[in-house]
Amino acid sequence: MATPYPSSGSLPPVRKRRLLLRWSTWLVTAAVIGYGVAIAMHWDDRGLLWLQERFESVSEQQASIWLPGYTVDIDAKVLPGMEDDEASDLAYDPKRKTLFAVMGKNPFLVELTLDGDVLRKLPLHGWSNPEGVAVLADGRLAIVDERDHTMTIVSLDDSTQALNIKDFTQYDLGPSANQNKAFEAIAWDPRNQRLVLGEERPPRLFTWRTDGRSPLTGDKQPLPSDELDLRNLSALGVDPRTGHMLVLSADSNMLLELDERGEQVSFMTLLGGFNGLKKRIPRAEGVAMDDQGTLYIVSEPNLFYRFRKQ
């Protein structure tokens, strides 16, 4: 008669110790990995901000953008014919009531309706890697080229079919801590009469004074960036109603709201299941907000999202 295999409760002491050691090793490894991921994703900071949000009064929420109150109503709409172009940024034009998106891989500017429909595509001749765009005043736009470390102020109207960098004034943005992850983000802050510029990694903010019409003078100035506990900085936006800043991070799957003092107010997680999203936004690279408080995001390769306040 065959001897039955011993149950786990009757394992020899040596084997029990080996199993316990193996399980404890796996648990410690999982805990270390989990802790590392939490730190890398800044989940500890997001947890503190989430708790802080729970205590915000209704009046405080109404005085801010308040990202938890937004729900997607256009989810991953495809921008036709741009799957190989890499949508890199987005800006709202309050005069035209349209959006401008810049494409980085094959440089061109595209004008969109607020529903994400393409109105026109403008080739950008002479740009290497345009990554940021901001709408200024009187038909002026600022375009940041990450590879060349330059910002170009361009002008366009309804008849414009293409833009050549040689026709416009360029500004040197200077060296970055990481030359391969340099200036990528830009936004126009009309309330404070300034451009806000952002370096991708490590995330840093700068401002440059301008009325949006006159040539830029002086140089950019550093802005406190202590609240940018993000893995990278992909794009910037400014809410024209409150003056609060939107800071987008593709690597952290996060959109932050900062007040005029640079302090965190609220955040949105760009993962599936949050704020009505069916799936994670693959790589969020551009953000804009219109004068009605509607939020827009573009993602590589060619996806368009719109969020409305509920």
Side-chain angles (χ1 to χ4, degrees):
M1 182 174 180
T3 302
Y5 194 85
S7 66
S8 59
S10 59
L11 289 174
V14 173
R15 190 172 182 185
K16 281 185 178 180
R17 286 195 296 272
R18 288 176 178 171
L19 285 173
L20 287 173
L21 180 61
R22 185 180 302 169
W23 275 105
S24 62
T25 300
W26 276 108
L27 288 172
V28 170
T29 302
V32 170
I33 292 174
Y35 179 76
V37 170
I39 294 299
M41 296 294 289
H42 298 281
W43 288 345
D44 50 344
D45 299 306
R46 296 292 82 78
L48 289 173
L49 182 54
W50 182 85
L51 289 174
Q52 176 184 317
E53 287 180 346
R54 307 283 75 77
F55 293 98
E56 295 283 353
S57 67
V58 174
S59 61
E60 289 173 323
Q61 294 180 24
Q62 292 175 342
S64 68
I65 298 172
W66 199 247
L67 293 171
Y70 279 80
T71 300
V72 69
D73 76 329
I74 297 180
D75 192 346
K77 180 176 182 176
V78 174
L79 300 176
M82 303 180 201
E83 55 275 4
D84 296 324
D85 299 317
E86 295 185 357
S88 295
D89 199 11
L90 193 65
Y92 172 67
D93 189 326
K95 185 176 181 180
R96 302 176 63 85
K97 304 297 181 185
T98 61
L99 298 161
F100 283 99
V102 70
M103 302 292 165
K105 187 175 181 180
N106 299 307
F108 67 87
L109 192 69
V110 57
E111 187 172 11
L112 305 169
T113 70
L114 301 185
D115 295 321
D117 298 321
V118 177
L119 294 172
R120 58 175 169 166
K121 296 168 64 175
L122 309 174
L124 295 176
H125 300 301
W127 277 267
S128 299
N129 184 220
E131 289 286 340
V133 61
V135 175
L136 307 180
D138 301 336
R140 291 176 174 82
L141 279 73
I143 300 176
V144 168
D145 192 305
E146 183 180 27
R147 187 173 300 155
D148 293 340
H149 300 262
T150 59
M151 175 177 62
T152 307
I153 307 297
V154 306
S155 298
L156 55 80
D157 55 29
D158 289 340
S159 64
T160 305
Q161 299 298 317
L163 295 169
N164 192 313
I165 199 169
K166 295 179 180 179
D167 298 332
F168 305 104
T169 303
Q170 299 178 58
Y171 298 88
D172 185 3
L173 295 177
S176 298
N178 185 337
Q179 292 290 87
N180 295 320
K181 300 292 180 181
F183 287 94
E184 177 160 340
I186 187 171
W188 165 238
D189 182 357
R191 175 178 295 195
N192 293 301
Q193 296 285 281
R194 64 183 184 177
L195 282 167
V196 184
L197 295 150
E199 286 184 312
E200 181 182 4
R201 188 180 294 121
R204 296 177 64 198
L205 295 175
F206 298 83
T207 61
W208 204 324
R209 288 288 174 185
T210 174
D211 61 5
R213 295 178 174 85
S214 307
L216 274 64
T217 58
D219 200 354
K220 66 184 188 301
Q221 300 298 319
L223 192 66
S225 308
D226 296 340
E227 296 291 307
L228 296 182
D229 47 359
L230 299 165
R231 295 177 63 192
N232 81 318
L233 194 162
S234 301
L236 294 169
V238 173
D239 176 12
R241 305 161 307 152
T242 64
H244 287 193
M245 193 182 306
L246 293 163
V247 183
L248 183 67
S249 172
D251 289 353
S252 296
N253 298 299
M254 191 73 59
L255 179 64
L256 278 180
E257 174 189 1
L258 304 181
D259 64 17
E260 291 178 310
R261 298 183 301 275
E263 297 179 357
Q264 295 183 13
V265 177
S266 69
F267 75 99
M268 177 192 293
T269 299
L270 307 179
L271 301 176
F274 292 89
N275 297 84
L277 289 167
K278 293 180 181 179
K279 296 181 180 179
R280 178 179 70 90
I281 297 179
R283 186 162 186 83
E285 290 288 337
V287 63
M289 179 164 281
D290 67 21
D291 44 21
Q292 301 301 309
T294 303
L295 177 67
Y296 307 88
I297 291 177
V298 288
S299 170
E300 291 182 355
N302 61 334
L303 301 178
F304 177 86
Y305 299 79
R306 186 176 71 191
F307 297 80
R308 294 190 187 275
K309 192 76 168 285
Q310 301 301 306

